[in-house]
Amino acid sequence: MNRFARLATRVLSVPFGLVWLEPAGEAAGALPERWPPDAEISGDVLERCRRVALSRRPQFLASAGEGAAALAFAGVPLIGGSGEVLGVLAVMDPSPREWSEDEVQDLSDLAAACGAQMRMRKRSENGRVAREAAEDAVQAAEGEAHRAQKLLIRSELLLRAAEDLADTSGLDDVRQRVGDLVSGDLKPVCIDLVLLRQGQLHHVRSPIDGDWPAVPESFDLGSPWPAAQAVRENRMIVVDAPPRAGASNVPLASPAFATQDLATAVCLPLRGTRRILGTLVLGWDAPYAIGVDERAVLTTLAGYTAQAVERALHLDERVTAARQLQRAMLTELPDAPGLELAALYRPAAQDDMVGGDWYDAYPLPGVANDAATGGIALTVGDITGHDMRAAALMGQVRSMLRQADHDHPGKGPDQALTALERACRRLDLPASGTAVHAHLRPAADGSWHLKWSNAGHPAPLLVTADGTVEHLTQHDILLHPALPPRPRTYAGRSLAPGSTLLLYTDGLVEERGQDIEANIDRLAHLLAAAPPGIRLHALLRSLLDTVGPPEAQDDTVLFAVRIPAGLL
């Protein structure tokens, strides 16, 4: 604005000019712009400018008083676009003088031009401020849109995590699904699932991980690894490698990352319902910012993972207990002079991985003064179900059938099955299923006499010494608590040396989309074509691998009895 001060001095032929700005205006607190630039401005002159601004009217004074007050003064207010006072354009002359009408008009015109310039500058400044504010608003909106998009992606990740981790069936499955989930969104280069067991942290490796570096399978909970610290302190641990030019980053988080060149790692404690289960560790090979939103996402993901891990551990414990229960009930086969026995059991690959299929063999009680008694009892049965309940019912039925044979010495297998059904009804035992129960007794000519009763079970297969296969098809209805007990029938057959008897459950021959009768015929053909000297256990394994479905939907039992040909 000093150019207007300079113009005013030239137009009005005065030595001093200034532009005084309203203290509340654009340049509050600044010194007046003046001409000449080094001119001294007295407080009396500034006070005169303030009076002009306050009165909002021009003042043209000749001279009055002495000293600074003797200066001739002329000042015109500078008016803004809304009528506000922006400042004052003023000139001073140390010599007394009268201001002519032309001089008054000239200074007023210059003041109008100065005011217009100030208004233009103000509008320009307001426009700049508005543009900057608009640019800031656009950037803020873009930032919010990016943040909203990121939050949407993270929300979708957590939704998928809630769905995918809800039906995991084992620790390997949990580890693999967590890897699949985070690899698409968070994009870590390393994932480690570490579980706490008896004071040690153990790595859970996914089946798709391939070869891991040579690191220990476990490490101590008290170790300085951040993965252990996260468990001890029950909090998220974020680790950033120090930026060192030309040097490899230090190993981060857990021993599994010892050979990885990582920049950031995060260790998330897995909080179970009663204890800390372990740590989920993610690592990135570039610096990865973990802000408040990301922490919330990672914490929620760790919560879903912990639920899946806890469920998997519970299922593992349940399956282990069920298998131990079933192994305890499927006892070793007894020594049976003159016979070869072999049995094979495969659980279903679903539910508790146990079921109601069973086999049994035990010596029959003899009857005094009756040489025809004695021998061995054989059973293969199938209680409905593939879980612990079915296994428990099977154990009860198996024991009760044994008891029925010992309570009725010298009686046939049909009477033992009838006694079993009556006992189940009296005890309100909801056992349903099928079974073949047989008595095998030695005969004087070296052969054995087979007597069996079939409660709705697949027909046993008999291979004679000449390779002929017979289907022992005689059977009654199945076992069911809704069916009233009735006398059961039996059938008999003499087994010559060289004969092999195969009993099995339907899990061997039943497969979705396949004809069960065709599978039984295939089983019979393979049984007849087996080499004469093959061991029974190897024969059963071969039959299961060849005929049994690749994905076992049902548990399966195979039980074979052979009368060696050398005994003739």
Side-chain angles (χ1 to χ4, degrees):
M1 291 293 135
N2 64 348
R3 69 188 180 92
F4 285 96
R6 177 172 56 82
L7 286 172
T9 60
R10 290 184 179 180
V11 171
L12 277 73
S13 300
V14 295
F16 305 110
L18 65 85
V19 175
W20 177 87
L21 299 178
E22 168 65 35
E26 177 182 354
L31 292 175
E33 297 192 26
R34 54 200 179 273
W35 188 264
D38 55 352
E40 294 185 3
I41 307 298
S42 68
D44 182 64
V45 171
L46 296 178
E47 179 61 28
R48 288 184 180 183
C49 289
R50 279 192 287 272
R51 290 176 181 174
V52 171
L54 184 64
S55 67
R56 302 172 62 88
R57 298 177 62 185
Q59 290 188 7
F60 291 86
L61 304 175
S63 63
E66 299 180 353
L71 292 172
F73 174 85
V76 178
L78 305 175
I79 305 301
S82 300
E84 75 278 14
V85 176
L86 303 177
V88 175
L89 175 61
V91 294
M92 288 78 66
D93 192 338
S95 301
R97 64 181 292 173
E98 294 292 335
W99 303 100
S100 68
E101 291 184 4
D102 289 340
E103 290 174 330
V104 170
Q105 185 63 46
D106 289 341
L107 187 61
S108 298
D109 290 344
L110 286 173
C114 183
Q117 180 68 30
M118 292 179 68
R119 290 194 298 274
M120 184 179 300
R121 178 187 293 182
K122 187 172 183 180
R123 285 195 297 270
S124 177
E125 179 63 19
N126 290 341
R128 183 188 65 80
V129 172
R131 286 194 302 274
E132 290 179 353
E135 291 173 357
D136 291 344
V138 169
Q139 292 179 356
E142 290 176 349
E144 284 299 315
H146 177 72
R147 180 174 177 270
Q149 179 66 21
K150 187 175 180 181
L151 289 176
L152 177 61
I153 293 173
R154 295 297 185 261
S155 298
E156 292 174 348
L157 166 65
L158 295 179
L159 178 60
R160 292 197 308 274
E163 294 175 345
D164 291 354
L165 294 175
D167 61 348
T168 49
S169 57
L171 292 176
D172 290 344
D173 192 17
V174 173
R175 166 65 178 79
Q176 183 170 337
R177 294 204 191 187
V178 170
D180 293 342
L181 283 166
V182 301
S183 61
D185 294 280
L186 304 178
K187 296 181 174 59
V189 296
C190 296
I191 302 168
D192 192 16
L193 180 60
V194 186
L195 298 186
L196 178 62
R197 294 171 180 167
Q198 298 179 345
Q200 293 286 311
L201 292 166
H202 298 261
H203 303 287
V204 177
R205 299 183 179 182
S206 170
I208 63 173
D209 279 340
D211 295 332
W212 271 34
V215 296
E217 290 287 340
S218 62
F219 55 101
D220 193 78
L221 178 60
S223 68
W225 289 102
Q229 182 186 357
V231 176
R232 292 195 304 269
E233 300 179 8
N234 189 18
R235 67 183 181 93
M236 181 190 303
I237 303 293
V238 179
V239 189
D240 292 311
R244 297 181 297 166
S248 296
N249 290 334
V250 296
L252 296 184
S254 84
F257 297 165
T259 61
Q260 301 290 332
D261 190 19
L262 299 180
T264 303
V266 59
C267 305
L268 305 163
L270 301 176
R271 302 181 179 96
T273 55
R274 295 186 299 273
R275 62 183 180 89
I276 302 297
L277 304 172
T279 312
L280 175 63
V281 188
L282 307 178
W284 292 266
D285 56 3
Y288 190 85
I290 301 178
V292 175
D293 294 338
E294 201 78 347
R295 282 178 173 265
V297 170
L298 291 171
T299 300
T300 305
L301 176 64
Y304 288 139
T305 304
Q307 293 176 14
V309 166
E310 194 165 44
R311 184 170 56 254
L313 291 174
H314 173 72
L315 290 175
D316 285 348
E317 293 171 357
R318 179 184 175 101
V319 168
T320 298
R323 287 179 174 175
Q324 290 173 346
L325 170 64
Q326 190 138 33
R327 279 196 299 269
M329 289 186 288
L330 297 176
T331 54
E332 293 186 5
L333 297 175
D335 291 331
L339 297 175
E340 293 180 18
L341 306 178
L344 186 62
Y345 172 79
R346 182 180 69 176
Q350 61 181 8
D351 300 325
D352 289 330
M353 298 185 73
V354 295
D357 287 20
W358 89 95
Y359 62 86
D360 199 8
Y362 49 87
L364 287 168
V367 178
N369 303 320
D370 188 349
T373 60
I376 190 169
L378 312 171
T379 309
V380 166
D382 181 0
I383 296 298
T384 305
H386 314 128
D387 52 19
M388 289 188 67
R389 177 179 179 276
L393 283 173
M394 176 269 288
Q396 292 174 280
V397 168
R398 173 181 174 275
S399 297
M400 292 165 63
L401 189 56
R402 280 188 168 211
Q403 187 64 44
D405 267 332
H406 283 78
D407 284 347
H408 301 83
K411 303 298 183 181
D414 53 317
Q415 296 188 44
L417 280 177
T418 300
L420 167 67
E421 288 184 290
R422 288 173 178 164
C424 288
R425 176 169 288 266
R426 291 185 186 124
L427 298 175
D428 198 22
L429 191 67
S432 64
T434 64
V436 172
H437 185 52
H439 290 175
L440 192 57
R441 303 180 189 273
D445 59 357
S447 63
W448 289 71
H449 186 71
L450 175 69
K451 184 184 292 186
W452 75 93
S453 183
N454 189 330
H457 199 78
L461 297 177
L462 175 63
V463 182
T464 60
D466 61 3
T468 302
V469 179
E470 297 183 23
H471 297 250
L472 307 183
T473 57
Q474 296 84 353
H475 65 83
D476 293 328
I477 60 174
L478 52 73
L479 304 169
H480 198 280
L483 299 175
R486 65 183 65 186
R488 290 196 170 267
T489 62
Y490 70 88
R493 179 71 162 75
S494 179
L495 307 185
S499 301
T500 300
L501 177 68
L502 176 67
L503 297 91
Y504 57 92
T505 58
D506 56 6
L508 178 65
V509 294
E510 197 169 54
E511 184 177 3
R512 183 175 299 176
Q514 299 290 327
D515 183 356
I516 188 171
E517 295 299 330
N519 285 340
I520 293 175
D521 291 341
R522 185 180 174 207
L523 175 64
H525 174 75
L526 292 171
L527 186 62
I534 187 172
R535 296 179 61 86
L536 279 185
H537 192 274
L539 173 61
L540 297 184
R541 173 55 61 185
S542 175
L543 294 175
L544 179 60
D545 292 342
T546 306
V547 180
E551 292 294 332
Q553 301 299 314
D554 195 0
D555 43 343
T556 303
V557 161
L558 292 89
F559 186 14
V561 180
R562 176 186 289 163
I563 304 171
L567 297 181
L568 270 175

